[in-house]
Amino acid sequence: MDLTRDPHRSIRDAADSVREYNHRTINGPQAFHGKHPINTAPPAIGEAIGALYTLFERLPQAVDQTAAAVRHVEEQQAIRMANGDDPSEAVSRLLRDLIDARQSMLLAQTHLRSAVQVSSNMAGHWLEDDELEDADANA
């Protein structure tokens, strides 16, 4: 963890990591398994679901701390709107939007927590090595 970077860079890097995940998985489930998808794909998918939950678990705090920064610079009267809008009205609207986004993240957390509970019990089949070879030939 590099705590010397600008805060926005950390969020950009997280977004880039999600983009990388999207690119790796866009062509289907092959990204989740190696030679033997019967054994490896279910737990790998479960790991991805767990990682999504962790991401959404951390996002509300990031939103809260960003909102606190907005409030701080507003209190310092350090905001000027390039479009000429009243800064206090714009900040009020922005903070409402952040609150709404946070609420949506909490709802997403609830659904992802449930998905983690289900996916944590997913595993591949126990097959003998010769059965795995047959499965590869049929894939």
Side-chain angles (χ1 to χ4, degrees), residues 98-130:
L98 290 174
I99 289 168
D100 290 345
R102 186 183 193 284
Q103 291 301 99
S104 295
M105 290 171 194
L106 293 174
L107 180 60
Q109 269 185 45
T110 299
H111 294 291
L112 286 167
R113 184 180 308 114
S114 177
V116 165
Q117 290 168 346
V118 173
S119 68
S120 67
N121 287 302
M122 291 171 40
H125 293 284
W126 295 105
L127 298 176
E128 298 298 325
D129 287 342
D130 58 338

Side-chain angles (χ1 to χ4, degrees), residues 14-58:
D16 286 343
S17 291
V18 171
R19 183 173 185 240
E20 175 187 340
Y21 173 87
N22 291 343
H23 279 273
R24 296 239 13 245
T25 60
I26 196 166
N27 292 321
Q30 302 87 332
F32 292 100
H33 59 75
K35 186 176 178 184
H36 302 294
I38 292 172
N39 282 1
T40 60
I45 293 167
E47 286 288 328
I49 293 168
L52 283 169
Y53 173 72
T54 300
L55 175 65
F56 273 82
E57 190 177 50
R58 293 178 180 160

